[in-house]
Amino acid sequence: MGRLATTEGLTDIQSEILKTIREFVDERIIPVAQELEHADEYPTEIIEGLKELGVFGLTIPEEFGGLGESLLTYALVVEEIARGWMSVSGVINTHFIVAYMLMQHGTEEQKAKYLPKMATGEVRGAFSMSEPGLGSDVSAVSTKATKLDDGSYSITGQKMWLTNGGTSTLVAVLCKSDEGADSVYKNMTTFLVEKEPGFGQTAQGITVPGKIDKMGYKGVETTELILEDHKISADQILGGTPGKGFFQMMDGVEVGRVNVAARACGLQIRAFELAIAYAQQRKTFGKPIAEHQAILFRLAEMGTKVEVSHNMMVRAARLKDSGQRMDVEAGMAKMVASEYANEVVEASFRIHGGYGYSKEYEIERIYRETAFMLIGEGTSDIQKMIIGRNLLKDYKA
């Protein structure tokens, strides 16, 4: 990848993991990404390869069969995978968030039940917070979990934008439960909902209607999740105590923002690689277009944005790994990386000229994929609200 987006201070194990993933991306993802993306085909062979490499259990502790690696390692792996094909990193992301939530908030029984199978990819996780009438206002969750006389619950509601909605077998679902405290943020509960992979009715009271057709982010399925009087045991409440769902979900979203920042960095890196290669091959007026000042300056700006995004993402991950709060840093990293990804990819698109508009060229696919980075895990406006409010607390007059 040249000199951009390198990371200092990695252990030998981290460096070896990244080397292995980079080789996998170059040999088994990039050569097939165009064909699979255009066909909107699920990358089964790629996913099986990532299972063999242990990626599904990358951050899961060794006692549960995982590799026990840090958020930083995971983010750098995601960056590499997104460089090959962003959709593949999306398959890993929601699985990772559910595993993280289990590690941080699950009961010992829940960890023992799910984490070993999640580490191998046998159990695949999905994360379900959003709803058709719900954007960034999580307090408006309407999916309802009603406690029954026998102590179990009945869940009814409609969820939206589930990545891995079809292939997942364990979904972390945020519901209103009317248990906890008076605050709307303290009467939400996260349930660990089990289902069979596939579409249609996948369990009693659970229906996954089908894939949502999207502009980009192809291959990986994005779905709705409809729950109609789905009976579930109280043992499936994440952490065992109702009323803590909002805070558990926000913890998951925080590391998810680092993940989206990493994906945006991967898209930038690939767009820059394609642009700088094309600019040295394409000639106008007797010399490569890279030697024209306008293109040279554009490449310089692109490279700088790649570096800034990468370093902000790394800093946020390292803060989380050290046990510190990083809601501001995660928000900053996500905002900067997604906005810069949009700018870097568009600059690469412009450098490619008319060829960039052709589906034969990678940059056309990357151009469509990048738009998702602007909205995934919260828009830039939401990140600005989070950042601004916290800065006001830190610099209180």
Side-chain angles (χ1 to χ4, degrees):
M1 292 196 303
R3 64 182 296 165
L4 290 181
T6 56
T7 304
E8 297 177 353
L10 297 180
T11 66
D12 290 343
I13 292 175
Q14 287 174 316
S15 297
E16 186 61 32
I17 288 172
L18 291 178
K19 179 176 180 290
T20 300
I21 295 297
R22 188 174 299 127
E23 290 173 353
F24 182 89
V25 168
D26 288 340
E27 295 171 8
R28 297 183 59 180
I29 297 183
I30 290 176
V32 299
Q34 288 291 92
E35 180 181 352
L36 292 176
E37 197 273 346
H38 290 166
D40 198 8
E41 181 179 336
Y42 188 80
T44 302
E45 291 187 13
I46 292 172
I47 296 305
E48 290 303 314
L50 293 176
K51 283 182 183 178
E52 292 173 10
L53 293 177
V55 171
F56 281 87
L58 190 62
T59 60
I60 292 174
E62 292 180 6
E63 64 183 289
F64 296 111
L67 299 179
E69 278 295 327
S70 63
L71 176 60
L72 174 62
T73 306
Y74 177 79
L76 294 174
V77 165
V78 166
E79 183 180 60
E80 293 286 352
I81 293 172
R83 171 183 158 264
W85 183 16
M86 192 275 288
S87 291
V88 178
S89 64
V91 173
I92 307 297
N93 179 37
T94 49
H95 179 86
F96 159 74
I97 291 177
V98 176
Y100 171 82
M101 290 170 65
L102 274 163
M103 290 185 290
Q104 295 298 314
H105 306 288
T107 65
E108 292 306 312
E109 293 77 14
Q110 289 167 349
K111 293 176 186 178
K113 180 179 180 181
Y114 293 118
L115 289 178
K117 291 182 179 180
M118 293 187 80
T120 62
E122 180 183 348
V123 167
R124 297 276 298 283
F127 174 83
S128 180
M129 183 169 62
S130 189
E131 297 179 359
L134 164 65
S136 300
D137 181 12
V138 183
S139 67
V141 164
S142 62
T143 297
K144 180 77 171 177
T146 303
K147 192 170 185 178
L148 305 176
D149 291 340
D150 63 0
S152 65
Y153 290 79
S154 172
I155 303 177
T156 297
Q158 184 179 4
K159 290 294 186 178
M160 195 74 177
W161 309 119
L162 270 76
T163 301
N164 286 347
T167 51
S168 60
T169 54
L170 181 68
V171 186
V173 180
L174 184 64
C175 306
K176 282 280 179 65
S177 60
D178 290 339
E179 294 178 285
D182 292 338
S183 168
V184 67
Y185 296 107
K186 294 182 180 179
N187 66 8
M188 299 185 206
T189 299
T190 301
F191 285 86
L192 300 170
V193 176
E194 296 182 358
K195 70 176 190 65
E196 292 297 318
F199 298 97
Q201 188 171 46
T202 64
Q204 188 63 40
I206 297 177
T207 302
V208 180
K211 294 196 299 184
I212 297 170
D213 194 17
K214 309 180 298 289
M215 176 177 77
Y217 200 18
K218 302 281 190 177
V220 56
E221 77 272 11
T222 304
T223 74
E224 296 177 73
L225 177 69
I226 299 172
L227 301 117
E228 297 178 278
D229 193 24
H230 173 66
K231 301 295 193 304
I232 190 166
S233 166
D235 293 341
Q236 295 301 106
I237 293 174
L238 179 62
T241 304
K244 297 184 177 181
F246 174 79
F247 304 100
Q248 294 165 345
M249 283 279 178
M250 289 303 102
D251 192 20
V253 167
E254 190 173 273
V255 294
R257 285 181 178 135
V258 175
N259 176 284
V260 173
R263 291 156 78 179
C265 288
L267 286 168
Q268 289 184 61
I269 292 167
R270 187 58 180 163
F272 176 80
E273 289 175 344
L274 294 170
I276 201 165
Y278 183 81
Q280 293 174 82
Q281 297 162 4
R282 175 82 164 95
K283 292 183 178 181
T284 61
F285 304 104
K287 61 182 180 181
I289 62 172
E291 295 180 18
H292 294 293
Q293 190 179 66
I295 301 297
L296 192 65
F297 282 11
R298 185 166 284 169
L299 291 170
E301 290 174 357
M302 292 166 69
T304 302
K305 288 172 181 176
V306 169
E307 196 72 10
V308 169
S309 301
H310 172 82
N311 285 325
M312 292 189 74
M313 178 271 291
V314 166
R315 180 169 182 265
R318 281 188 161 142
L319 279 173
K320 189 71 172 180
D321 287 333
S322 69
Q324 300 180 62
R325 284 194 62 177
M326 43 75 89
D327 44 354
V328 170
E329 289 77 11
M332 287 179 171
K334 193 276 170 182
M335 179 180 70
V336 168
S338 61
E339 293 291 345
Y340 275 178
N342 194 47
E343 294 173 15
V344 168
V345 170
E346 181 173 342
S348 180
F349 177 80
R350 289 171 181 263
I351 287 171
H352 280 79
Y355 289 107
Y357 206 63
S358 166
K359 283 185 174 289
E360 293 182 21
Y361 280 68
E362 263 187 83
I363 193 61
E364 182 272 341
R365 166 175 60 83
I366 295 171
Y367 190 84
R368 287 184 289 104
E369 291 174 336
T370 305
F372 178 68
M373 299 295 95
L374 297 171
I375 55 176
E377 308 295 6
T379 64
S380 290
D381 288 338
I382 290 297
Q383 308 311 320
K384 289 174 186 176
M385 287 177 63
I386 294 168
I387 295 163
R389 286 171 179 171
N390 281 278
L391 291 177
L392 286 175
K393 292 178 187 175
D394 293 341
Y395 293 89
K396 195 172 182 69

